[in-house]
Amino acid sequence: MHVLVVGSGAREHALLLALRRDPEVETLSVAPGNAGTAAVADQYEVDMTSGEAVTALARRLGADLVVIGPEVPLVLGVADAVREAGIACFGPTKAAARIEGSKSFAKDVMATAGVRTATSEIVDNPAHLDAALDRFGPPGGYPAWVVKDDGLAAGKGVVVTADRDAARAHAAGLLEAGHPVLLESFLDGPEVSLFCVVDGKTVVPLLPAQDFKRVGDGDSGPNTGGMGAYTPLPWLSDEMTARIVEEVVEPVAAELVARDCAFSGLLYAGLAITSNGPAVVEFNCRFGDPETQAVLALLESPLGQLLRAAATGDLAAQPPLRWRDGAAVTVVVAAENYPSRPRVGDVIHGAEGEGVLHAGTARRDDGAVVSSGGRVLSVVGVGADLAAARAAAYARIASIRLPGSHFRSDIGLAAAEGRITV
């Protein structure tokens, strides 16, 4: 099987490494890739947002399966173009990808499916903003305002704050840019990311993970695209994971089928485990980054066969997934100034080691690997338990040198110390 992975981040690097372990995957290609993925797969340039360009490349390579990593191509309908060309594709249609591309669409799906989520209100007129803010934050009964961009924002369009001025400034900025604003009630409880491979009404959950959105230790500073993750979650029972599948993912998958936009691909449920049970924070239509890097590090089942089964309607016939014992931790090494405008072009030393996945990297003509984005590397550690996995990840980071870079030192720490409870 020849698999073409579309994307250029650490998520795609992790997908390629997992696909390489599948005995049925004979050839791997990636487009456009980065300085790290070039060592794992044949690398090609492509406009990821163009269905015509991705389809032409897949045809030229003779790809048997196309795996689309990022959300933007999926929301734009690139998977539709690949399928229309008769090539198997792992990734939802444009219509189904609205579950991530439009938060208001996702809310409507959840309401119809009877799935618990935060109460919400769309604001598209600046004149209505102040009254809406009064309904959704202190002193209206919630500990903080939750203000979101209604569309795609790469994980950085959300502000959670007890400061009304900060909430209003974020909302006003979105409205000024022509983006509708979603105000939500605050959900209490620890957060969980659950990835599920989905084909129509068939749902196959992967290991639950937890990610860290804030840039600084102790969940301080602004939101980012994700600064780290770990799996499995020692504080989350198998029974609660089963509840998430039964009460959240399966009803949403069934509702998308009923709306004639059946989901085929990776459906990501971001949830809060509240005092009343699981409640949805958001849905994504693809593998999440950085959780993917940790989850796939523990997967023993052949990934290529799993993704092809979902893409060809054979998911229900697949055997139960097999997982490696132990835990995995991903820590993101970010460029100076991230999540603001990052410093780029600096030489990275120690980026070629095992467990070091590339995201914002490029290779210069002289062969040096340099930073080219905000989240530069994802460093993965695996161990017998969470403490050992953390130690492995941070030991690897100690050998990496990137001027001005920063990372969180507390990824998975609270869970390893038993400080998270449901």
Side-chain angles (χ1 to χ4, degrees):
M1 175 170 41
H2 183 168
V3 182
L4 168 62
V5 175
V6 177
S8 61
R11 164 186 50 218
E12 286 72 38
H13 199 167
L15 283 165
L16 290 166
L17 292 173
L19 287 164
R20 190 170 62 173
R21 300 194 296 265
D22 186 333
E24 289 195 8
V25 175
E26 299 169 334
T27 307
L28 277 174
S29 300
V30 61
N34 57 48
T37 58
V40 186
D42 299 327
Q43 196 149 298
Y44 301 88
E45 287 298 322
V46 76
D47 178 358
M48 293 188 294
T49 65
S50 168
E52 182 180 356
V54 172
T55 299
L57 177 62
R59 277 178 168 159
R60 178 161 62 88
L61 298 177
D64 302 297
L65 174 66
V66 175
V67 178
I68 300 177
E71 63 273 24
V72 172
L74 294 168
V75 169
L76 291 176
V78 172
D80 303 69
V82 174
R83 286 194 185 90
E84 287 168 6
I87 303 169
C89 184
F90 184 82
T93 63
K94 179 179 181 177
R98 287 180 294 166
I99 199 74
E100 177 172 2
S102 169
K103 293 178 179 64
S104 54
F105 173 78
K107 289 289 187 183
D108 187 60
V109 168
M110 285 185 277
T112 306
V115 171
R116 291 187 65 247
T117 185
T119 57
S120 64
E121 180 177 336
I122 292 285
V123 180
D124 56 11
N125 186 332
H128 300 157
L129 178 58
D130 286 304
L133 286 170
D134 290 342
R135 290 190 288 273
F136 277 88
Y142 301 110
W145 282 275
V146 180
V147 184
K148 297 183 177 182
D149 188 331
D150 185 49
L152 296 178
K156 291 176 285 187
V158 181
V159 163
V160 181
T161 179
D163 183 335
R164 190 183 193 282
D165 290 340
R168 193 186 191 288
H170 182 63
L174 293 173
L175 289 169
E176 186 176 347
H179 296 216
V181 170
L182 182 78
L183 298 181
E184 285 188 338
S185 58
F186 182 85
L187 295 174
D188 66 311
E191 292 195 6
V192 174
S193 299
L194 184 64
F195 298 170
C196 294
V197 178
V198 174
D199 180 36
K201 294 183 180 181
T202 302
V203 175
V204 176
L206 307 188
L207 289 180
Q210 186 178 58
D211 78 331
F212 295 74
K213 288 294 187 187
R214 300 279 188 167
V215 70
D217 284 2
D219 290 329
S220 60
N223 273 345
T224 70
M227 293 299 293
Y230 68 95
T231 188
L233 309 182
W235 48 269
L236 189 76
S237 67
D238 291 342
E239 290 76 16
M240 182 59 75
T241 301
R243 276 189 67 184
I244 294 169
V245 172
E246 295 167 6
E247 298 178 11
V248 174
V249 185
E250 290 180 342
V252 165
E255 176 59 21
L256 291 173
V257 170
R259 294 182 181 221
D260 199 27
C261 55
F263 195 97
S264 177
L266 196 290
L267 186 57
Y268 164 125
L271 311 111
I273 308 302
T274 73
S275 53
N276 295 316
V280 174
V281 175
E282 64 176 354
F283 277 107
N284 290 339
C285 64
R286 37 72 193 185
F287 280 101
D289 181 347
E291 299 99 319
T292 298
Q293 294 88 294
V295 170
L296 292 186
L298 298 182
L299 180 66
E300 289 191 336
S301 293
L303 180 63
Q305 296 172 49
L306 176 67
L307 303 188
R308 180 175 60 182
T312 57
D314 195 37
L315 183 60
Q318 295 305 296
L321 297 183
R322 293 178 288 106
W323 298 95
R324 174 178 175 177
D325 291 335
V329 170
T330 300
V331 182
V332 170
V333 177
E336 183 176 346
N337 294 328
Y338 179 78
S340 297
R341 185 175 182 179
R343 171 175 158 176
V344 298
D346 289 307
V347 175
I348 309 166
H349 297 283
E352 309 293 345
E354 180 183 357
V356 181
L357 307 182
H358 289 229
T361 67
R363 193 175 293 276
R364 291 193 321 209
D365 291 342
D366 63 3
V369 176
V370 298
S371 59
S372 63
R375 291 188 296 168
V376 181
L377 303 169
S378 284
V379 180
V380 181
V382 176
D385 57 22
L386 195 48
R390 275 178 42 80
Y394 285 107
R396 285 174 176 162
I397 286 179
S399 66
I400 296 170
R401 296 289 180 271
L402 172 61
S405 64
H406 59 96
F407 58 89
R408 283 185 60 159
S409 66
D410 62 347
I411 303 299
L413 179 60
E417 294 179 346
R419 292 190 278 116
I420 301 179
T421 58
V422 176

